[in-house]
């Protein structure tokens, strides 16, 4: 959003701030100013002169010598401009003055200084300027010649400041307005903010009553069919139209806003749009068939030609403005070529409406057309502003002599939008801000912003145009920005939510990350959206539930069209990238969500589950990954009840080198070697191992309730046991026997050997453990150890396990 500083000062008469002071104060009060540009920064000593006499240059065919009256003297200027003539009033840079740049529009920092001198031997005491040399261009001043100096109208005063006459003695302010401050996308809103910031009186334009004795209903009928997309529609009629240039003061303000003046009618609609933030549109009433306006949704495959001559295809999601037979406008975006205002217009229909912002944004994207009007509508305008803007436009029509306004107005507004009320809670505001501002001072801030106060109910009355004020925190922000952010004292946070600690969930996740890094894994981050082709690369069955994914409605492409249901593709892609770049030993981990839809098609938000995924190749194997998982579980207090089930049934893992991680009977993750076909699908030749932990299951079962015991006072006794074990029996099953039959004296056990070879019969393996026994209150006797060992051996024998001899 940009505004003219002079326009702001016209509404805030007491404002005397320099552009820099204005920029600093407005930014601190919440209306961030990006930059400002003084239009006359590079212009100096430029007056209006009148050419009294022209003579040929004695030594140059293309130059002439002019005698120019500059008000207090007649000076001689040599020029090569082709459009000079005696009597012409032109901008003249006097000796020592400055211009913005060259005739081609190029600009020089600080301007170009003009000095008197001689051109081909003839004295020249200044320079006559083109519009480009004054820092503007023909877009803003279409009457300026393409080649030559600028010619003023005959009624300007000789000797007057040319910069002021052209309206270039202004400063353009560029703001960064957040989308929730719809009121500040208008000069009125920013002027109100400026008045509040500088504690000056806000003087908005006074809108007077307009209209003759006729009734607008005799000229036009309006019917709104799509009431959900058009909460308010207002219309007025102007007859006896007189097309002419708009006055200089209006043209200056429009130029400062970056809008090229066209004619009085077009300029009025643009002016009101900038002043009130309410887009308007004008139709030639004689082109409106049936003298009826219908606001309806478009029809399937309907086409429409907009003012720019382009044919647009619409459907039933696009809101259209129609007459009795045809469409005449894309609501909130652009009017139609079939109802445009021409120089032959005699009767005009003015439209000021409020449309659904979301619909305008989507429709604008659908038809491929975004305009200044749609840019304002899509932010969600205040419907209560429409009639005020309409009356202001009609007032300007009469003041500028553009036509005769027909009495009355059509106003279809079935459900009036009311402002809201919020309780006035100064103690809450001060507690949030860490301030001690009085109630009276807060109410004074609110009053400067046109926020009312109901003393009887102790409520702040918020007008409808302040859509951003919804809670006590918003009111606290209003207090803060006008009290001054720079004046708010430093204070420590307070309350349970701001004690500076991580939540329990984040604490567990942080431990998992720390352990993964300790085990040599580097953190990676991959996309949450991926291609449906991933399921085939991972060899998932056709009926696998993981193939049921959330489909993105507006994807970047097929490769990013669904939300991931398992975290492996990103990890394997990252490992493959490292392998292809000849990195020998790579370990990566990622903490990221998967997205599991509750049903297909999706009718509600999917379940998001955080997963810790670790992947590696190079040094290390299945047991390396298993050790990393066990270290993580140990650090979160889950090392006592962990078992592994080799029947994980994961197609993407090697059938003989995979396992589910089970804790207390619940699957909390899985690990294994990636299936060779899967690694081939990712163009990898290395053996790849992955491990995945489901963090919600971990968080639910993690505990930090640990009991520490003192150093043992009595010695330990060890027994080694070597067994011949059927191959299908897992060491985990053997360890379960140790836990169940070892008794109170079994302190620990350690697997130190597994062997399969020629010295062991087929279908069997040799497994050796070292068992440690210790009593807390005595020295163990041989009988104590023998009793425990006998229980263990008996249970092992029942499993078909024999001692190795």
């Amino acid at each position: 959003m940009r505004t003219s500083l002079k326009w702001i000062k016209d509404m805030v008469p007491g404002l005397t701030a320099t552009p820099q002071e204005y920029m600093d104060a407005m930014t601190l009060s919440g209306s961030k100013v990006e930059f400002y540009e003084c239009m006359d920064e590079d212009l100096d000593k430029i007056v209006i002169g009148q050419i009294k006499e022209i003579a040929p240059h004695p030594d140059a065919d293309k130059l002439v010598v002019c005698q120019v009256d500059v008000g207090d003297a007649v000076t001689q200027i040599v020029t090569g401009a082709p459009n000079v003539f005696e009597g012409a009033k032109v901008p003249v840079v006097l000796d020592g003055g400055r211009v913005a740049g060259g005739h081609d529009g190029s600009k020089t920092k600080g301007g170009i200084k003009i000095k008197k001198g001689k051109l081909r031997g003839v004295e020249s005491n200044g320079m006559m300027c083109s519009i480009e040399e004054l820092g503007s261009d023909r877009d803003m001043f279409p009457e300026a010649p393409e080649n030559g100096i600028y010619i003023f109208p005959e009624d300007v005063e000789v000797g007057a400041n040319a910069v002021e006459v052209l309206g270039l003695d202004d400063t353009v302010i560029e703001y960064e307005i957040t989308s929730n401050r719809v009121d500040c996308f208008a000069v009125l809103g920013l002027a109100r903010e400026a008045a509040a910031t500088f504690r000056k009186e806000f003087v908005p334009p006074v809108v007077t009553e307009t209209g003759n004795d006729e009734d607008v209903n005799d000229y036009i009928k309006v019917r709104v069919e799509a009431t959900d997309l058009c909460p308010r529609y207002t219309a007025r009629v102007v007859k006896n139209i007189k097309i002419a240039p708009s006055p200089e003061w209006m043209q200056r303000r429009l130029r400062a806003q970056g809008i090229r003046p066209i004619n009085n009618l077009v300029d009025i609609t643009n002016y009101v749009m900038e002043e009130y933030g309410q887009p308007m549109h004008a139709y030639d009433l004689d082109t409106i068939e049936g003298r009826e306006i219908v606001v309806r949704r478009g029809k399937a495959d309907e086409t429409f030609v907009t003012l720019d001559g382009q044919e647009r295809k619409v459907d039933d999601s696009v809101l259209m403005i129609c007459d009795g037979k045809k469409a005449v406008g894309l609501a909130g975006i652009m009017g139609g070529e079939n109802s445009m205002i021409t120089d032959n217009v005699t009767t005009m229909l003015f439209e000021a409406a409020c449309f659904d912002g979301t619909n305008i944004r989507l429709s604008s994207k659908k038809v491929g057309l975004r305009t200044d009007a749609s840019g304002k509508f899509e932010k969600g305008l205040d419907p209560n502003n429409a009639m005020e803007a309409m009356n202001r436009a009609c007032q300007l029509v009469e003041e500028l002599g553009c036509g005769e306004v027909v009495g009355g107005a059509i106003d279809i507004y079935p459900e009036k939008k009311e402002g809201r009320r919020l309780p006035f809670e100064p103690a809450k505001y001060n507690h949030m801000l860490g301030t001690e501002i009085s109630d009276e001072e807060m109410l004074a801030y609110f009053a400067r912003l046109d926020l009312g106060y109901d003393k009887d109910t102790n409520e702040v009355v918020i007008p409808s145009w302040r859509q951003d004020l919804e809670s006590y925190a918003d009111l606290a922000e209003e207090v803060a920005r006008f009290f001054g952010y720079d004046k708010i004292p430093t204070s420590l946070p307070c309350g349970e939510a701001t004690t500076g600690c991580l939540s329990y969930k984040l604490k567990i996740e942080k431990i998992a990350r720390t352990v993964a890094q300790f085990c040599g894994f580097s953190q990676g981050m991959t996309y949450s959206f991926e291609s449906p082709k991933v399921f085939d690369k991972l060899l998932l069955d056709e009926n696998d539930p993981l193939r049921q994914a959330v489909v993105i409605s507006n994807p970047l492409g097929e490769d990013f069209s669904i939300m991931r249901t398992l975290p492996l593709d990103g990890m394997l892609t990252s490992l493959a990238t490292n392998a292809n770049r000849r990195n020998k030993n790579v370990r990566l981990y990622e903490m990221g969500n998967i997205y599991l839809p509750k049903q297909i098609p999706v009718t509600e938000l999917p379940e998001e589950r955080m997963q810790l995924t670790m992947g590696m190749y190079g040094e290390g194997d299945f047991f390396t990954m298993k050790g990393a998982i066990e270290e993580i579980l140990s650090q979160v207090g889950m090392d006592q009840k962990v078992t592994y089930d080799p029947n994980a049934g994961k197609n993407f893992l090697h059938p003989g080198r995979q396992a589910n991680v089970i804790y207390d009977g619940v699957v909390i993750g899985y690990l294994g070697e990636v299936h060779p076909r899967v690694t081939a699908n990712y163009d990898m030749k290395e053996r790849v191992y992955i491990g995945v932990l489901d963090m919600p299951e971990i968080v639910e079962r993690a505990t930090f309730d640990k009991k520490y015991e003192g150093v043992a006072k009595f010695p330990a006794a060890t027994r080694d046991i070597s067994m011949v074990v059927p191959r299908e029996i897992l060491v985990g099953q053997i360890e379960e026997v140790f836990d169940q039959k070892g008794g109170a004296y079994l302190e620990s056990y350690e697997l130190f050997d597994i062997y399969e070879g020629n010295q062991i019969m087929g279908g069997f393996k040799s497994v050796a453990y070292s068992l440690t026994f210790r009593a807390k209150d005595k020295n163990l006797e041989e009988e104590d150890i023998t009793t425990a060992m006998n229980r263990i051996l008996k249970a092992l024998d029942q499993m078909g396990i024999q001692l190795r001899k």
Side-chain angles (χ1 to χ4, degrees), residues 33-153:
V33 176
E34 286 286 283
F35 63 87
Y36 67 86
E37 179 185 4
C38 296
M39 298 169 67
D40 60 350
E41 182 178 13
D42 299 329
L43 307 178
D44 188 30
K45 296 179 70 174
I46 304 176
V47 300
I48 297 176
Q50 185 172 26
I51 301 174
K52 294 297 185 180
E53 181 181 335
I54 299 177
H57 192 286
D59 198 26
D61 294 339
K62 294 185 178 181
L63 298 179
V64 293
V65 181
C66 301
Q67 305 301 319
V68 184
D69 180 4
V70 293
D72 56 357
V74 175
T75 188
Q76 179 171 291
I77 297 176
V78 177
T79 182
N83 64 327
V84 294
F85 57 91
E86 292 182 356
K89 294 183 177 180
V90 297
V92 177
V93 190
L94 302 177
D95 178 33
R98 288 179 298 132
V99 292
H103 185 79
D104 59 355
S106 59
K107 294 186 178 182
T108 303
K109 182 67 175 177
I112 299 174
K113 194 168 186 177
I114 302 301
K115 296 181 180 180
K116 66 180 180 179
K118 291 185 178 182
L119 288 177
R120 301 291 293 269
V122 177
E123 182 177 320
S124 182
N125 299 315
M127 184 181 79
M128 292 179 279
C129 307
S130 67
I131 197 65
E132 288 80 9
E133 288 163 332
L134 294 175
S136 191
D137 54 48
R138 295 183 67 247
D139 282 341
M140 294 295 107
F141 292 85
E143 73 277 11
E146 185 174 357
N147 294 299
I149 60 174
Y150 182 78
I151 307 295
F152 284 102

Side-chain angles (χ1 to χ4, degrees), residues 141 236 292:
F141 292 85
R236 296 194 72 175
E292 180 183 26

